[in-house]
């Protein structure tokens, strides 16, 4: 998929998850298989979002559902909080899977280094090192790509 289309797919997923957070929910089991791409219209479609929960909640089982490529460390720990910071991690992991599936090193990254820094911070294993909200991640991402920010609340 051309880079321009990947950017559109990522932005759609990021915008959707910002909306999810604004409504007080958190994603569970979001991964690349939840994204379809309609080639005729160029429109990304999100599916399989039925496992989303009201936020915050505590991990009830230990290893939660989902693809390990997208799961935050707290999704492996029974009793850990699952919240917007968890979705920030998932979106950062999605950025790496979409733009540099060969690895998370800057050498594989096709976008500006500032966007790589955003994805790296979002997908930090340490919750305290991540962006605190999806909107702050989205703003930093937009700035890194010289796009319009979502206007952080």
């Amino acid at each position: 998929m051309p880079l321009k289309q990947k950017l559109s797919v990522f932005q759609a997923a990021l915008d959707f998850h910002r909306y999810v957070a604004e409504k007080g929910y958190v994603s569970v089991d979001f991964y690349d298989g939840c994204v379809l791409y309609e080639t005729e219209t160029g429109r990304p479609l999100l599916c399989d979002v039925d496992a989303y929960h009201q936020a915050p909640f505590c991990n009830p089982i230990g290893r939660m559902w989902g693809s390990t490529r997208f799961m935050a460390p707290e999704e492996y720990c029974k009793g850990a909080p699952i919240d917007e910071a968890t979705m920030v991690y998932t979106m950062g992991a999605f950025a790496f899977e979409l733009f540099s599936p060969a690895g998370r090193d800057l050498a594989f990254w096709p976008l500006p280094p500032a966007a790589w820094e955003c994805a790296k911070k979002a997908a930090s294993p340490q919750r305290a090192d991540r962006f605190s909200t999806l909107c702050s991640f989205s703003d930093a991402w937009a700035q890194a790509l010289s796009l319009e920010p979502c206007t952080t609340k």
Side-chain angles (χ1 to χ4, degrees), residues 1-10 98-99 109-112:
M1 180 181 284
L3 192 56
K4 184 177 179 180
Q5 290 171 319
K6 287 181 180 183
L7 284 164
S8 173
V9 166
F10 183 74
L98 186 62
F99 297 111
W109 190 255
L111 298 171

Side-chain angles (χ1 to χ4, degrees), residues 48-122:
D48 197 18
V49 296
D50 56 330
Y52 287 37
H53 292 269
Q54 278 194 303
F57 73 97
C58 291
N59 178 335
I61 58 173
R63 192 215 186 274
M64 294 184 66
W65 316 272
S67 169
T68 57
R69 295 173 297 140
F70 298 86
M71 292 173 65
E74 56 267 28
E75 292 179 274
Y76 294 91
C77 183
K78 187 174 183 174
I82 306 296
D83 55 17
E84 191 168 356
T86 308
M87 283 200 301
V88 167
Y89 181 97
T90 301
M91 288 293 98
F94 182 50
F96 281 117
E97 287 296 318
L98 186 62
F99 297 111
S100 62
R104 293 187 178 189
D105 293 334
L106 182 56
F108 299 118
W109 190 255
L111 298 171
W116 179 82
E117 289 289 343
C118 287
K120 182 180 172 191
K121 180 175 178 168

